[in-house]
Amino acid sequence: MTTIQLGKQISGIWFDEKNFSTDKRPWFGELPQLPAGDFSFAVVGDRCGLATLGVFEKALDLLTDLKPSFILSVGDLIEGYWRDPADVHEEWDEIDAKITATGVPFFQVVGNHDYGNPMMADVWRARKGFEYYAFRLNDVLYLVVNTENPPHEFPDLVLDTIKKATELFKQNPTTPLQELFSGMATMSPEEAAALSKLDIAIGEEQLAFFQEVLENNRDVKHTFVTMHKPGWKSDNADFAEIERMLEGRSYTVFAGHFHSLEYTNDSEASKQYIQLGRTGGLTHGGNRSDENLILWVTMKNGVPTYRVIHLDGVDAIENYEPQQH
């Protein structure tokens, strides 16, 4: 896909060419060339950790048929947290092939499972070039943010527990959570508190890039910010700075990480926060918001509307045999 100069006021994709010189890209396919007007796109939630086999694939099959203009991910496409780069490449090879096969443009976002240590960050850059970028389609702007800059590294105990839980879950998805994460029982209260903290890292380079993008696209009707961890739930100063840059705009922030769908609408400030539910990852609860789903977004005259597609309610026609009535 060809990028265009940052200052151009037309549809296109921008990345930070001051800091990255690469022909690799963290997206698949071409940004569609649409006539000015309405369009729709889909947002998928976390595929991992502890992916249920076939769920993300079901979402891709459905979206292949529905043909949105493009698909956005909020990250965590692989289980990750590997120590050997060969394992990282093997996971990416598998999921990248499935995404490519849809033929639908697909824009990736860095998640903590995708980028869990410096080695995995190196693999990301070797395969995908860079972690943050922006694009515009007609009168709508998209900022794609890396919340793992630098990656937050877990201690060996946590890494070992994650890998053990992943293998147990693959063997038996009904394994109780206490058994999956039994290794955490030896952690001190301080270690457990540190593990549960919402660590977000963005950095000055991203802020400078997004500031320039926003300055050069003042005329858009709506701005979407996509990140993995929900910045609005943190006290992160860099996320606060991004929101300061967005003041006076109508905007929506997408995130994931917690595997549960939440929608917050601040109509006075013309902003919305949407925490995506899971699209394959382990459930974190038993409510409807914790089910596997896709978010369908329709843009009409620069104004978004949202529909939630629950994957467990999508079925094949062959399952409906004739009956006596």
Side-chain angles (χ1 to χ4, degrees), residues 31-79:
L31 187 67
Q33 299 299 311
L34 301 177
D38 304 340
F39 63 92
S40 297
F41 64 96
V43 191
V44 293
D46 294 30
R47 173 179 175 260
C48 300
L50 304 189
T52 300
L53 184 65
V55 174
F56 193 78
E57 292 79 0
K58 182 177 184 179
L60 292 181
D61 286 345
L62 179 61
L63 291 173
T64 301
D65 291 342
L66 293 178
K67 290 184 169 51
S69 295
F70 59 89
I71 303 169
L72 268 177
S73 163
V74 295
D76 279 2
L77 288 172
I78 64 171
E79 297 291 358

Side-chain angles (χ1 to χ4, degrees), residues 99-124:
I99 292 169
T100 303
T102 67
V104 181
F106 189 103
F107 293 90
Q108 297 178 87
V109 176
V110 168
N112 54 292
H113 280 260
D114 309 319
Y115 206 82
N117 55 48
M119 178 274 291
M120 290 188 64
D122 289 341
V123 171
W124 176 286

Side-chain angles (χ1 to χ4, degrees), residues 46 196 198 228 230 233 256-260 275-276 282 284 290:
D46 294 30
S196 63
L198 186 64
H228 181 62
K233 293 187 172 182
H257 191 58
F258 288 119
H259 297 200
S260 185
Q275 177 182 285
L276 263 292
L282 180 71
H284 288 187
D290 303 306

Side-chain angles (χ1 to χ4, degrees), residues 131-145:
E131 309 84 34
Y132 61 94
Y133 54 101
F135 62 96
R136 175 173 175 165
L137 188 56
N138 296 342
D139 52 9
V140 184
L141 181 65
Y142 298 82
L143 309 182
V144 179
V145 181

Side-chain angles (χ1 to χ4, degrees), residues 50-52 164-177 179-180 282:
L50 304 189
T52 300
K164 178 184 176 183
T166 302
E167 288 306 311
L168 285 173
F169 189 77
K170 285 180 179 178
Q171 295 167 17
N172 181 11
T174 63
T175 304
L177 285 178
E179 185 177 339
L180 288 175
L282 180 71

Side-chain angles (χ1 to χ4, degrees), residues 46 74-76 81 109-113 115 145-154 195 197-202 225-234 236 239 253-258 274-275:
D46 294 30
V74 295
D76 279 2
Y81 290 115
V109 176
V110 168
N112 54 292
H113 280 260
Y115 206 82
V145 181
N146 176 13
T147 58
E148 314 301 310
N149 179 39
H152 175 70
E153 294 189 73
F154 286 137
L195 185 63
K197 188 177 185 297
L198 186 64
D199 283 306
I200 291 178
I202 296 174
V225 180
T226 307
M227 56 179 54
H228 181 62
K229 292 175 180 172
W232 66 91
K233 293 187 172 182
S234 76
N236 182 264
F239 178 76
V253 185
F254 294 130
H257 191 58
F258 288 119
I274 300 179
Q275 177 182 285

